[in-house]
């Protein structure tokens, strides 16, 4: 009696599910094309030669690194390396590599390929060292010292890294998308033009790049991690947020990022669409170039911090999907210093500080604004206008300046700006990736700067280097907390916002999981049709 009754209940439940249109034990399907629309084109498809998310989300599909992140967070997992060991002094790391893997051009992946790539990145005299290789400098160079002393081939499927000193985030760094392994044969063939002809071992192969319009990839049937479901991915560039949303509504694209706050509520009511939220792991900010007058004066910088109404900006431009930033790293990351007190919005205090600095009537300057929406700032031009108005209220006349995306990034890396809007999305789940990259004096070198305020504080540098060399989490946390307080007091830039970026997709898109780093794999994405 009991067993028969339980079976009847199960059958009724299944019938109700099917009647409601809910799939039961539905399996992913192979085939089809996904069109992913974003606000800007990629800069290059050579992953080590770019720093922007629009490039890296594409290269993530084409290339693999030695390590990778879990699909939902930044915990490190095997990829082209299957296992690893470290010496007692934490200076020697040995990796066992995955066997029987081939690049898309049919050449073998092995230890020699790993060494070739790292030698290309590390050595400016290497014949294939074409580019700035910013991320390598950000993560592995301290002043004039390359923290990777050597990369040695032990055998075809074993590679050894020898470090100058312990580097706590070493594994997390290796999993970053820029450190993907490219085909040595293709690099030799294409040279400086490799960024237009990318060849990796990833789940999708490069087919075509129509610059300014779209990039087309096709499935790698022989992928070591398992055959992807999709036949093709097309990355389209549609700069205007509203135009992108209209195309999604019309059905000509399948997924879009950069959904404007005004369109979130509309999308929520559309039964053909669904909202996807990317975990908040970013900071949007305004950097003040301390090498240009009057931003070398701390009173001017603090005055500007008091002049900007951050809560009003978030209310107007983020539809509740953001929080005010007071630190250069998000509160979701360990090591965050919540005891820091933000500069409150206080125009009167701003005017007083300007007068003390010798600018009772303010001054004229420029505010650079991004030309495209970013995950941390979907409406940068409008936000720039709001900041412009706030600054005008205290006597600072800021002219808004903008360039195309690639040029914008290049110019601020050279320090041509007075003030600039920009942001950072965490790459690896370690505070080092925020604070060292954005504030180390080593990263304030014109041409490859990620420290866009060109801030240089020896005490901060000392703390950040020490935090890299110790493995104890409590010690590292205290070091990062101290560094955040000093940075706050020096005020090299105004942290504005930590956003929760919304994406929107058709209901039939399955398996798409937005990653905190903005570089998710499409391998498990499928179309439920």
């Amino acid at each position: 009696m009991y067993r028969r009754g339980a079976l009847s209940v199960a059958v009724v439940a299944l019938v109700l599910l099917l009647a409601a249109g809910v799939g039961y034990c539905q399996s992913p399907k192979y085939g089809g094309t996904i069109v992913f629309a974003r606000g800007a084109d990629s800069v290059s498809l050579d992953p080590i030669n770019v720093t922007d998310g629009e490039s890296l989300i594409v290269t993530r599909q084409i290339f693999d690194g030695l390590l990778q992140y879990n699909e939902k967070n930044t915990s490190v997992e095997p990829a082209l390396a299957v296992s690893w060991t470290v010496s007692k002094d934490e200076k020697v790391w040995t990796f066992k590599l995955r066997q029987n893997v081939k690049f898309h051009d049919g050449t073998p992946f092995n230890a020699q390929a790993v060494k070739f790539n790292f030698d290309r990145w590390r050595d400016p005299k290497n014949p294939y060292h074409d580019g700035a290789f910013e991320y390598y400098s950000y993560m592995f160079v301290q002043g004039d010292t390359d923290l990777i002393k050597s990369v040695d081939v032990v055998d075809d499927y074993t590679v050894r890294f020898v470090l100058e000193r312990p580097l706590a985030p070493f594994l997390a760094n290796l999993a970053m998308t820029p450190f993907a392994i490219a085909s040595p044969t293709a690099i030799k063939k294409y040279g400086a033009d490799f960024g237009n002809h990318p060849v990796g071992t990833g789940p999708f192969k490069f087919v075509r790049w129509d610059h300014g319009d779209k990039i087309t990839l096709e499935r790698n049937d022989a992928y070591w991690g398992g055959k992807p479901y999709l036949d093709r991915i097309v990355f389209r560039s549609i700069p205007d947020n509203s135009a992108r949303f209209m195309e999604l509504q019309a059905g000509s694209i399948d997924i879009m990022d950069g959904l404007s706050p005004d369109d979130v509520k509309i999308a929520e009511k559309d039964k053909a669409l669904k909202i996807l939220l990317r975990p908040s792991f970013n900071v949007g900010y305004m950097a003040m170039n301390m090498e240009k007058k009057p931003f070398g004066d701390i009173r001017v910088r603090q005055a500007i911090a008091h002049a900007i109404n951050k809560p009003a900006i978030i209310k107007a431009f983020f539809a509740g999907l953001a929080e005010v930033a007071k630190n250069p790293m998000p509160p979701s990351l360990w090591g965050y210093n919540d005891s820091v007190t933000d500069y409150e919005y206080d125009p009167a205090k701003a005017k007083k500080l300007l007068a003390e600095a010798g600018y009772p009537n303010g001054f004229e300057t420029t505010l650079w604004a991004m030309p495209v929406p970013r995950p941390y700032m979907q409406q940068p031009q409008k936000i720039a206008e709001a900041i412009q108005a706030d600054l005008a209220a205290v006597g600072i006349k800021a002219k808004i300046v903008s360039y195309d995306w690639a040029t914008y990034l290049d110019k601020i890396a050279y320090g041509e700006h007075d003030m600039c809007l920009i942001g950072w999305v965490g790459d690896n789940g370690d505070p080092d990736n925020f604070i060292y990259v954005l504030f180390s004096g080593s990263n304030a070198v014109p041409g490859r700067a990620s420290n866009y305020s060109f801030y240089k504080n020896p005490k901060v540098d000392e703390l950040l280097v020490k935090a890299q060399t110790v493995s104890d989490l409590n010690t590292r946390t205290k070091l990062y907390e101290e560094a955040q307080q000093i940075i706050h007091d020096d005020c090299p830039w105004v942290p504005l916002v930590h956003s929760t970026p919304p994406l929107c997709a058709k209901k039939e898109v399955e398996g798409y999981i937005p990653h905190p780093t903005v570089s998710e794999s499409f391998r498990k994405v499928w179309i439920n049709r």
Side-chain angles (χ1 to χ4, degrees), residues 11 16 25 41 90 117 135 163 202 206 229 237 262 272 292-293 298 329 335 339 385 393 397 408 423 447:
V11 170
L16 290 174
C25 296
D41 199 1
E90 299 183 7
N117 276 265
Y135 259 114
L163 308 184
F206 174 75
Y229 297 116
S237 305
D262 294 342
K292 290 193 173 184
K293 291 183 178 181
I298 190 172
M329 55 186 265
S339 66
E385 291 170 3
K397 297 179 181 178
Y408 187 90

Side-chain angles (χ1 to χ4, degrees), residues 453-526:
S453 55
F454 292 84
Y455 170 72
K456 298 169 185 175
N457 184 316
K459 178 60 177 177
V460 169
D461 286 345
E462 178 186 339
L463 292 169
L464 298 183
V465 170
K466 187 174 180 180
Q468 288 180 336
T469 58
V470 298
S471 56
D472 180 71
L473 191 63
N474 289 332
T475 302
R476 297 188 73 209
T477 295
K478 291 177 183 177
L479 292 167
Y480 287 124
E481 287 176 345
E482 184 178 353
Q484 286 169 78
Q485 186 64 61
I486 296 172
I487 292 166
H488 169 270
D489 295 343
D490 287 344
C491 196
W493 39 269
V494 181
L496 295 171
V497 60
H498 304 297
S499 72
T500 302
L503 299 88
C504 194
K506 292 179 181 177
K507 274 288 199 304
E508 56 262 35
V509 174
E510 302 282 0
Y512 185 84
I513 303 175
H515 197 266
T517 65
V518 196
S519 295
E520 54 268 6
S521 172
F522 281 64
R523 184 176 71 84
K524 295 182 180 179
V525 178
W526 59 285

Side-chain angles (χ1 to χ4, degrees), residues 2 45 102 108 242 305 326 330 336 345 357 377 398 406 447 484 499:
Y2 175 77
L45 298 182
K102 289 187 176 182
S242 297
K326 63 180 181 179
Y336 180 83
Y345 172 58
M377 212 176 291
Q484 286 169 78
S499 72

